[in-house]
Amino acid sequence: MLFIVASCGLKKQVSVNGNYASTQGKILIIQTNQYLPTNIYRIGSIVVGESGLTPSGNCTYEACMQVIEEESRKVGAQLVYLVKVVEPNITSTCYNITAELYRYDGN
C-alpha cells in the first residue's frame, strides 16, 4: 500500500549547480519561445510530470506549475523559463513540463 500512495503524486526531478538561499516572493515565469532577460544566469533545471499512477486531476497544468514554483523557490531560483510543455495525450493524461532555473546577476 505504501508504494501506491508514494507513486500517486507528481514526479519531479530538480538539478541545481550550487547552493542558493531560498527565494521569497513571486518568481517570474517566462513561457516557451519568449525572450530571456540578459542579466540572468542559469542555476539548474526541473522536470515535473507523471509518476506512473498519477490521477489526472493531480497533474493539470496548474498543479505542475505549482510544484515548479515551490521547488524553484526552495533552490533559490528567481526566474523560471519553460523549455518544453507536453500536454496530455493518448499515452499520458498528465502534463509534463521541463523548465530551466535562473537567478539575476548580482543576487
Side-chain angles (χ1 to χ4, degrees):
M1 183 71 166
L2 180 60
F3 173 74
I4 293 173
V5 172
S7 66
C8 286
L10 285 170
K11 177 179 70 172
K12 57 189 169 197
Q13 180 180 5
V14 182
S15 174
V16 178
N17 304 322
N19 295 314
Y20 304 93
S22 61
T23 304
Q24 303 299 317
K26 185 156 177 66
I27 293 179
L28 180 61
I29 306 290
I30 297 182
Q31 301 296 319
T32 305
N33 297 323
Q34 299 297 309
Y35 290 105
L36 290 170
T38 57
N39 62 334
I40 60 173
Y41 61 98
R42 187 177 182 277
I43 64 167
S45 63
I46 184 169
V47 178
V48 175
E50 186 171 27
S51 66
L53 295 174
T54 309
S56 60
N58 292 350
C59 55
T60 61
Y61 179 82
E62 292 77 16
C64 290
M65 289 307 298
Q66 182 176 355
V67 169
I68 287 173
E69 286 189 47
E70 289 170 1
E71 294 299 318
S72 298
R73 224 177 246 108
K74 287 180 191 176
V75 300
Q78 297 170 317
L79 183 147
V80 173
Y81 175 66
L82 301 181
V83 175
K84 183 178 180 183
V85 177
V86 179
E87 295 182 5
N89 57 40
I90 195 164
T91 62
S92 173
T93 60
C94 291
Y95 272 85
N96 286 282
I97 301 174
T98 302
E100 293 180 342
L101 309 176
Y102 292 88
R103 287 186 60 86
Y104 291 101
D105 284 337
N107 288 320

